Amino acid sequence: MQPSELEALAHEFGNPLYVYDAEKIESQFHRLTNAFSKVEKLRINYAMKALSNVSILKLLKNMGSGLDTVSIQEVQLGLHAGFTPDKIIFTPNGVSFEEIEEAAQLGVQINIDNLSVLEHFGTKHPNIPVCIRINPHVMAGGNENISVGHIDSKFGISIYQIPHVLRIVENTKMHINGIHMHTGSDILDIEVFLYAAEILFDTAKQFKDLDFLDFGSGFKVPYKKDDIETNIEELGKKLTKRFLAFEKEYGRKLALAFEPGKFLVSEAGYFLAKVNVVKQTTSTVFAGIDSGFNHLIRPMFYGSQHAIENISNPKGKERFYTVVGYICETDTFANNRRIAEIHEGDILCFRNAGAYCFSMASNYNSRFKPAEVLWKNGKGHLIRERESFEDLLQNQIMIEV
Ligand SMILES: *Cc1c(COP(=O)(O)O)cnc(C)c1O
């Protein structure tokens, strides 16, 4: 999107504001389906925790996407957006048994990631097919926060415990219809991905009645200049070849599933905030915006680098700024960043604001959550109203004290 288009949206809908470009979501979706076009049964299940606005869900549904959900509320939102249960997979971690049963009752695919629940579920509901989430013990990426495949991860059933899984299946006569892995959110190297895939194939061989193999996600998108991104096209070529060979070996056609979040929506998102104050100290120039980690926590939570542009003065001379929020905490979005000269009242634009931005927003400091706009066919459509004072009071009870 052009700076002028974004600035016009900030004026039309106010700030701070999240904007999502529908065309970018569509092009990412098609990049992925094109890369795996030789796979007969390809399932893309959008990981909705990245961005869960129902209009975004509907947009993805209309493209033919399925849905990856991690809570019963996400399942319900997905159904509300029009997904049929057969297009939804429920991949929870550490939720109650009742929540899993509730999802199964709604008819969605259950994905179980521990032996205790597997045994309990198989005993009680031997006729409901389940997928199992394995932990292939592969480190993807260097950041401990986002590597979920390693040995002490809380996610998945260790591949060393497959004999126990087989014992449970034999004892309960339950039906395992899929094998799943999701090794984290930062796969730098497709060789690592392919290595983990081999482990998944090895595991799959031990189950005779599978319908699908789910390779999760972890596709990396660029956040800053020169960032590495997952080469989807190359992964498509290599994994398709391996997958087709595996199908032959397995003796039956399988569906191949992915569940990308970031890949589909990260780059489609823009976060717009207004500069309230430019403040010089002895060593720094701060640009203080009308937002904070209540609206966009990734820089403080993960150390993520979101590119920041001054869309009110895009051609201005670049200077160094430390961009901070208005929360009564240290909430630094960027340190010593080169940005086109900033004046009070300018609108700054944060890139890669589609994934894990609004969906992690809170009301800290009793601030309203921002509005959300979908940019489609050259027009901004409001898809979430800015919160109001009534929203802050909703559910609160002021008792006589
Ligand atoms: C979060 C999550 C994803 C999506 O990860 P991205 O890095 O956003 O693509 C996929 N699968 C599961 C099980 C997840 O928890």
Side-chain angles (χ1 to χ4, degrees), residues 357-385:
C357 292
F358 187 94
S359 65
M360 287 190 172
S362 76
N363 290 110
Y364 187 49
N365 277 208
S366 296
R367 293 289 184 179
F368 304 146
K369 285 189 203 157
E372 291 179 292
V373 163
L374 182 64
W375 177 254
K376 198 168 189 301
N377 304 327
K379 196 175 172 306
H381 304 266
L382 189 66
I383 58 172
R384 186 190 300 266
E385 286 181 44

Side-chain angles (χ1 to χ4, degrees), residues 47 49-50 68 70 91 133 180 182 184-185 216-219 259-263 356:
K49 73 176 188 289
D68 176 61
V70 295
T91 304
R133 177 176 186 169
H180 167 276
H182 170 65
S185 279
S217 177
F219 304 138
E259 43 192 42
K262 243 182 221 168
F263 180 79
Y356 308 105

Side-chain angles (χ1 to χ4, degrees), residues 98-112:
E98 290 71 27
E99 187 169 333
I100 294 173
E101 280 186 314
E102 201 181 332
Q105 235 71 88
L106 292 171
V108 309
Q109 172 71 51
I110 303 298
N111 188 6
I112 292 180

Side-chain angles (χ1 to χ4, degrees), residues 152-165:
D152 282 326
S153 161
K154 71 164 189 164
F155 297 100
I157 298 170
S158 166
I159 42 164
Y160 303 112
Q161 293 174 311
I162 295 301
H164 195 165
V165 173

